[in-house]
Amino acid sequence: MLEKKKKIVVIGNGMVGFRFCEKLLEYDAFHEHQITVLGDELSPAYDRVSLSLLFDGKTESDLVFAESRWYEYCKINLRLGARVIEINRSAQTVTTSSGKSFPYDHLVIATGARPHLPDISGIDQEGVHVYRTTGDATSILNGSRAASHAVVIGGGLLGLEVAEACREKGLETTIVEQESILMACQLDEAAGRLLDMKIENLGLRLRLNARVQSLGGSGVVESVRFENGPPIPADMVIIATGIVPNDELARGAGLELGTHGGIAIDEHTLTSDPHIFAIGDCAAFNNSTFGLVAPGYAMAEVAAAQLGKINKTFTMATPASKLKLLDLQVASIGQIHLEAPEARQLIDQEPARGVYKKLIMSNDLKRLLGAILVGETSEFERLRKHVEQKLELPSNPRALLAPIGEPLATQLDMEDDDVVCFCNYVTYGDICRAIDEKNLKSTSDVMGATYAAGLCGSCLDVLDAVTKAYLARK
């Protein structure tokens, strides 16, 4: 007699929920599980990282990872527009707003996060947008056709991305940031000032050290008012001030939460209920949430592996980010705000070229603690690996940096566990194995087989160089 399949219910059909499904299909060698996916949005999972492509003429369907027929082929029960309103842990069921109930043996919560909305008077007016979903991007795109002055509140990665999209649409665009530099969490003052200058040279205006007091207008936004300094006109305002984990369902079900929100998980991505996993932006590991795709994908793989009876664990990810737009190269890794006497620093720069490189090292010069790269970022993976794996520094730490004007990617001195695509966590070894096992012949073949360069695309040049070099050696 065949054993009854275990019911796996996934709440959330975003990037991380989709990756979980892919990985569970891979790890479920004996087809022991039946997957049901409940997605709040009306479209299948899509590439949220590439939302800005919608401003360049791409459509929502261009961003979709897999059409409904893929779910059907994989025997996944996909329910779109299904908003879950309750988790009943004792009955092991979830209920949607339509009253439909779904039983589970294991539940995977992948509800992501929502935009943080600051307490600003007038924020609820017409013309004020957030930037998180295809619907948000479409609203901004539609609004840009009748607007002339856009103001983006928030000078982080997301704020810079949407500001550039507005500029490309011909809007006079101002970025408002309460700190003294853009990307203040990822850069020091020197790197921030260099980025500020590059941004202004592209035609974007900056308002730094600025605290927004209110949004002017009578139902339709007309201006942004500040606690300090004169107001600026705005017929479109976009809020990009961070995210908040969607942990309400877990809270209502009595699951343990992180100190600062998010659903508390262990190294196996299990919550305080042994039948419930949490992955992605909604999850808190060691009281930290991440807000990045790569840790979410790592969590998805760990959860799928656990259900496939494979022992994988999630570890604290090294903070690392790369700016993926504006033809600007900016990267940040690890602890970048440490100064003497806590740490020692090494700086290599050529202001005329717009290049700034900084290493933050332990006082005994044994470990790399963090790094900042502006203008050239080819050393990103080498430095990230040194920080994450706590590798010992060479006797001359400057050897970790490529000479300015000579990108490290051309050297291709890579090991199997070196990460080429940080978003999808594709290693050099993954690429070589895919080429060998699937007889791949081109960079585009490798992209399709491994997902490398499939999100932000910032690693495409390195991927192309790696692929061509490996194929040439075969």
Side-chain angles (χ1 to χ4, degrees), residues 452-464:
L455 291 179
C456 77
S458 63
C459 66
L460 182 57
D461 289 344
V462 176
L463 174 65
D464 185 54

Side-chain angles (χ1 to χ4, degrees), residues 7 9 36 38 77 79 82-89 91-104 107:
K7 294 182 173 64
V9 174
T36 296
L38 306 176
N77 178 21
R79 301 294 184 96
R83 186 176 188 81
V84 176
I85 59 172
E86 182 184 44
I87 299 171
N88 187 324
R89 291 168 56 195
Q92 291 190 198
T93 61
V94 299
T95 304
T96 65
S97 57
S98 65
K100 179 70 175 176
S101 182
F102 296 86
Y104 66 83
L107 178 65

Side-chain angles (χ1 to χ4, degrees), residues 118 148 153 235 316 364 378 404 435:
S148 57
I153 301 176
D235 41 21
M316 200 71 173
D364 59 6
S378 64
I404 291 176
I435 291 173

